[in-house]
Amino acid sequence: MMFHEMNKENVEKALKTNVQTGLSTDEVEKRRRQVGDNVLDEGEKESALVLFISQFKDFMTIVLLAATLISGFLGEYIDAIAIIAIVLINGFLGFFQERRAEKSLQALKELSAPQVVVRRDGQWMKIPSKEVTVGDVVKFESGDRIGADVRIIEANNLEIEESALTGESIPSPKSSDPLTQEHPSLGDLNNMAFMGTMVTRGNGIGIVTGIGMKTAMGEIADMIQNAETLTTPLQRRLEQLGKILIVVALLLTLLVVLVGVWHGHDIYTMFLAGVSLAVAAIPEGLPAIVTIALSLGVQRMIRKNAIVRKLPAVETLGCASVICSDKTGTMTQNKMTVTHLWSGGHTWQVSGTGYQPEGSFYKEDTEINPIKEKSVYQLLTFGLLCNHAELKLKDKEYVVDGDPTEGALLVSALKAGLTREVLLKQFAIEQEFPFDSTRKMMSMVIKDQHGKRFVITKGAPDVLLNISKSVLWNNREQLLTQEYQRNVQQAIESLASQALRTIAIAFKPLKDYDVIADENAAEKDLILIGIQGMIDPPRPEVRQAIKECKEAGIKTVMITGDHLITAKAIAKQLGILQHHKKVIDGQTLNQMSVDELEDVIDDISVFARVSPDHKLKIVKAFQNRGHIVAMTGDGINDAPAIKTSDIGISMGITGTDVAKEASSLILLDDNFATIKSAIKEGRNIYENIRKFVRYLLASNVGEILVMLFAMLLSLPLPVIPIQILWVNLVTDGLPAMALGLDQPEENVMKRKPRHPKEGVFARRLGWKVVSRGFLIGIVTLVAFMTIYYQNTDNLAYAQTVAFATLVLAQLIHVFDCRSEHSVLARNPFGNMYLVMAVLSSILLMLVVIYVPLFQPIFHTLPIQPKDWLLIICLSMIPTFLLAGTFYLRKKA
Ligand code: ATP
């Protein structure tokens, strides 16, 4: 028999498991050893060797190696070996850089890997989907992605979208009954749920029947392997730029060679010098350093609780000009406590803090017994019944497992001494219509001990008011006349204006013959009992984060399903509603087209009582106004808006799998302040990339120009090929990487967002590269000429001095690159990585100059102390000359 044909008991028997308790930890370990991880095989990975060899496939490197071999055959053994050694070391560096980049990307992927709720040793727990095994009891609900193949044992209005497997995009309804149909197709198996498919409605429990490659998805895994690695716009732009730079570097090098030969230099020497120069000047390491800077930045973001799912988001973050954020849980703490009850014109206060189930009930400062007041008793009882939350004691603190709103209702009932266990002895739950944020309510059909059935509905009070026919007033049912409606409306507004989140509770008795086919049948003609009002305090850090965003030219917009007045009260507390900014609600939004919204959207700061589909409209309207929009969301219905926004953000704790998959950034702590940190980091990463692009290119310009000028002046080579290669290796490697780790400049969150189309050389970067490079070239040439003309017989000594000047000028210039302004704008020791990198580069330079072993290899001679003065002064000129002009310009 197949699993879909068996009844529940037989499935349990066949898989040796129990739905009530799940598997035991020991059993899980045993099974996992047997069947392995629940993962799909990944495609072939590039082997380390291939990656290493690929470091040398660059055209100029091949030419250099060939030229070196020729020089080796001609007897220049030492030169040849040294050059090959340097090329190899360079290759290793590139290899490790790329490896590291790849590893950290892989680690990222694992961090955002899907999770599954399983029951083990009787407890429900969330585990990485990789650890699920055959026989595990799993639970899933709307918005979840199914983690393995599952035989459904319990289904509540369960619908699953299986287009990944069947191509059918309309979700299929699921049930738990055994199937009798012979040879059903995959699409007919409506008591099975398959790995990779998506729950779009309801919830369910099931037993895992297959994992990993032994699932329906596993069978077609080859087809769905998409090893898509996204590159960021900047990476692509740099790639294009790299191609242009290669051509420019080659042309300039050719010019150097031609001029050199024309002025009587030996062709072979000029050829090798040209090739070395080309290898040094072509910034082949740039893409790897960019990836590393991006992934290191991404790791820094993880430490600040933001996981980047799609690398391009790192860059887009720096361009964000609007953040549309959910209120509940993101701006507020999502720790709800009922403080007020309202029913039939009376208000009660509830004392106590947080989820601590201790507190009393008061009416006008007098303590009352809530069980004795009928409407209070009903409000609390029904709030507890129509509820899935559980209260747990964790590290001496009460926490809610489930929806915090329901947690608050659970706690208010507990304060009155009511428990669900006792209630469930009197009432049985027959049907359930789960909460969704479009309907803004949920309902249950309940049967009491006497067999009487009734509907309980809880949800947004204004919504419930619309579908109620009467209201309990002084324990009597009264028809909802306009006057009663006004009274209830006033009560809602009065609670909301105290920043309270409100939940109304209503019910209706059913006749024996009443059939409740769907939620529409349940949710009409209700009797409104009353309202529970709960506080959800703002997160303390959010106000400051919103202020910082404002200074950074980023507008914060609150989007919430809550009541307009509640939203407004909280927005005021958080500093969102300032300077005549407006608040509008879902109803008004419904009547507006995207174009109409676009005209006024810049003035709106709060959208209240919205449904998820409004979010899409909001994103589009902002985008049409030219904004780069970050949009948060957690539910399955938020996915389209998250996807459409420029930076889709999902919640790590409360987010559904679907929302997470649609997003490019996940907030591990669901906190708004984390978005601000991520934006700051995003801006910083971009600036750091600019810093090392500037450093590397200016250095390269300097290297080419010193050679070109020397050739034009008919001088000997100021630096020889092996020295150029060394400069390329040492100064380009560590210091450039260290720049990628630089801290942000103080004003990083004080400027406007960057324009997304901004080019690599924008904001005078091109000018900085050329001018600094030019100066580095000139001072190196001056150092060379000064020493050379003192004693033209000692060319090698002049070359050593030029070499030292070139290295030092670059190493001083690297500090200049830390600021958009000048070297003096920042503490030069602020980036210790950079200081260490520069010191070790200087040390390596001294080794090459002073250690006798290296002198014949690098053709160096020990530099005398008096000449160091010249070298140091000259190499400081580019940086300080420009700092001086910057200072003068600023003063003027
Ligand atoms: P956001 O997270 O977007 O700031 P929200 O969490 O307040 O907004 P929803 O969860 O869609 O938005 O809730 C909208 C309204 O639905 C709430 O104001 C509340 O009245 C009602 N509501 C929320 N949760 C439940 C629930 N579990 N059962 C019944 N009604 C609920």
Side-chain angles (χ1 to χ4, degrees), residues 3 8 33 68 264 328 331 355 372 379 473 593 598 664 710 719 815 845 886:
F3 290 117
K8 177 184 144 194
R33 268 198 302 274
T68 314
T328 312
M331 294 184 164
Y355 292 127
K372 295 226 165 100
L379 207 50
W473 209 271
S593 66
E598 202 188 307
S664 40
V719 248
F815 290 99
M845 173 181 75
F886 177 80

Side-chain angles (χ1 to χ4, degrees), residues 202-216:
N203 52 44
I205 292 179
I207 301 179
V208 174
T209 58
I211 61 162
M213 293 304 283
K214 297 219 169 67
T215 54

Side-chain angles (χ1 to χ4, degrees), residues 194-212:
F194 300 103
M195 177 193 233
T197 58
M198 220 162 66
V199 184
T200 52
R201 190 160 186 252
N203 52 44
I205 292 179
I207 301 179
V208 174
T209 58
I211 61 162

Side-chain angles (χ1 to χ4, degrees), residues 778-841:
I778 291 286
V779 294
T780 311
L781 191 71
V782 170
F784 175 71
M785 285 167 69
T786 312
I787 303 294
Y788 180 63
Y789 284 127
Q790 279 171 13
N791 179 3
T792 45
D793 289 337
N794 200 352
L795 175 61
Y797 185 71
Q799 283 169 333
T800 310
V801 170
F803 164 69
T805 313
L806 182 60
V807 172
L808 216 56
Q810 292 187 2
L811 291 179
I812 294 175
H813 172 239
V814 78
F815 290 99
D816 201 6
C817 298
R818 291 184 61 223
S819 167
E820 292 280 327
H821 306 303
S822 96
V823 71
L824 303 174
R826 304 187 72 179
N827 171 8
F829 303 107
N831 178 348
M832 277 329 261
Y833 297 110
L834 188 61
V835 174
M836 298 308 288
V838 166
L839 285 181
S840 42
S841 297

Side-chain angles (χ1 to χ4, degrees), residues 325-330 332 334 336 386 403 405-406 409 435-442 457-463 501-504 558-563 566 609-612 615 634 638:
S325 169
D326 284 334
K327 169 181 75 66
T328 312
T330 313
T332 63
N334 218 1
M336 319 236 183
C386 196
D403 179 355
T405 305
E406 296 188 351
L409 301 180
F435 175 76
D436 87 50
S437 38
T438 307
R439 274 171 36 245
K440 297 190 172 47
M441 58 189 155
M442 70 171 283
T457 302
K458 77 176 204 297
D462 35 334
V463 177
R501 180 176 172 85
T502 48
I503 298 281
M558 176 192 278
I559 299 190
T560 176
D562 243 342
H563 195 278
T566 313
R609 272 291 184 255
V610 293
S611 313
K615 284 189 171 178
D634 47 13
D638 290 336

Side-chain angles (χ1 to χ4, degrees), residues 391-399:
L391 195 64
K392 288 188 173 155
L393 202 56
K394 217 181 205 171
D395 303 329
K396 294 189 185 150
E397 204 189 328
Y398 284 96
V399 290

Side-chain angles (χ1 to χ4, degrees), residues 563-577:
H563 195 278
L564 186 121
I565 297 176
T566 313
K568 203 168 156 181
I570 294 190
K572 273 202 183 129
Q573 289 176 9
L574 289 172
I576 292 178
L577 259 187

